[in-house]
Amino acid sequence: MATYTVPFVINGEERHVEKTFDVTSPATGKVLHKCGVATEEDAVAAIAAAEVAGEKWRNSTVAERRDVILKAAEIMEKRRDELAGYMIDEVGAPRGWADFNLNLTIDMYKDVAGRVGAIEGTVPPCQPGITSIVVKEPYGVVVAIAPWNATYILGTRAVLYPLAAGCTVVFKGSESAPRTHRAIVSVLTEAGLPKGVVNYIVTDPPHAASVTEALIANLSVKKINFTGSTAVGRIIAGLAGQHLKPVVLELGGKAPAIVWEDANLDLAAEQTALGSFFFSGQVCMSTERIIVHKKVTGAFQEKLLATLEKMFPSKGEALVLISANGVDKNKKLIKDALSKGASLLNGDINAEESSRTRMRPIVVSKVTPDMDLYKTESFGPSVSLIEVESEEEALRVANDTEYGLTSAVFTEDLRVGLRFARGIETGAVHINNMTIHDETTLPHGGAKASGYGRFNSLPGVEEWVRTKTITWRN
């Protein structure tokens, strides 16, 4: 029986509430612990604490912010095994995925620490007798909402970039990974972050809408960031629009990977297999459509299937998804495609696994626009193969989606790769690498229904400052 309850953190103090929900391991089905259910009153208390703390934090020195951020990187490294354990338990992550999250997050702390002092104003020319300066000031209280899948990466960036700019944060964690997200706040607190600068709450699905609306509608909240599904992103954007508040959104994807006729097929098979099935396909950047030139379709399919058997052996453990709903969704999409003429190249959608949260990689060919799988984000271990004959057709298929987060192109001719890169409507294009690619030095975000605004690098920090023009008579 679970005895630990994940608390909220408001003004540096743990807050325990009476109403809780169970947090269950997707790998074992066992209850891990409980978590408190935040209400609108908790949201208001967190905002109030952030607003008070902001009066001092916005005026903190570059050195003060830098030193806290660097200390957090050191602490995260020291607590690696503990932190990895939370993520493995709550989201069913393999240790490799947990370590990847921790490594990138530690690098993120170090990168951002070096950018704290890079925010600069200007002294633009004015009419005679007038002098002006344009300064950049922190927005104030920020609401940060992060998902469970890349738990440390997405949770940390949601709070770190605003903090670096001098903002304070109310962090609404995921109900699927509340202890992992709570650990992010714990690391920052241990690093010396003042009370109230980051406040942490979580709620359950029945209360999510009212709590989120209370956060966004509050007059003290000045900007929001949300990473998650496009469906929920539309709701967040709508609420923010009603209250005339800016928002950074990183939403869903339907990433294409183009395998051209001159591609290194061994490399393409390896990278598309990883891009499609890394962490069970539960990554917003996952490869969902492999667009293959007709001349190499047969050879590529053969190499892809061989690579899958090597990476995800049919006699090994099936992949773990966060819930049975993810498995059901993927099976429904695949069954619809097969009923409309698609062919199953790899996997068995009727296979009975050791739990309802498990599923093996599925590859489907002859996918056409009338199939739900063609346009719906599967967010699971399934990928479509689509055959084309020209660059124009490949681009048309790649762009025939509401999403535009990331993409990949496999070719030995850089000129071809760059032509595709310029034509694909995504926030990033990776030539001869998989669609899943995130580095702290590279601005990250999407186009179309994959969101707007950018995380990472200096643009990720400058999202959280606004300009103010000051003039005076000489």
Side-chain angles (χ1 to χ4, degrees), residues 61-77:
T61 66
V62 166
E64 286 172 328
R65 279 179 259 165
R66 179 201 63 209
D67 290 350
V68 167
I69 294 169
L70 286 174
K71 186 67 175 177
E74 179 185 325
I75 291 166
M76 181 163 271
E77 182 59 59

Side-chain angles (χ1 to χ4, degrees), residues 2-9 14 16 21-24 31-36 76 79 82-91 147-148 151-152 171-187 200-202:
T3 56
Y4 178 76
T5 300
V6 180
F8 310 147
V9 180
E14 290 190 349
H16 293 271
F21 62 92
D22 290 340
V23 180
T24 304
V31 174
L32 298 166
H33 39 256
K34 295 180 180 294
C35 181
M76 181 163 271
R79 293 174 58 182
E82 171 206 348
L83 299 175
Y86 297 149
M87 185 174 171
I88 291 166
D89 287 345
E90 289 192 319
V91 304
W148 52 268
T151 329
Y152 286 114
F171 178 23
K172 179 178 175 291
S174 169
E175 72 277 7
S176 296
R179 193 169 191 177
T180 312
H181 278 162
R182 165 72 180 88
I184 294 170
V185 181
S186 170
V187 166
Y200 178 65
I201 61 172
V202 189

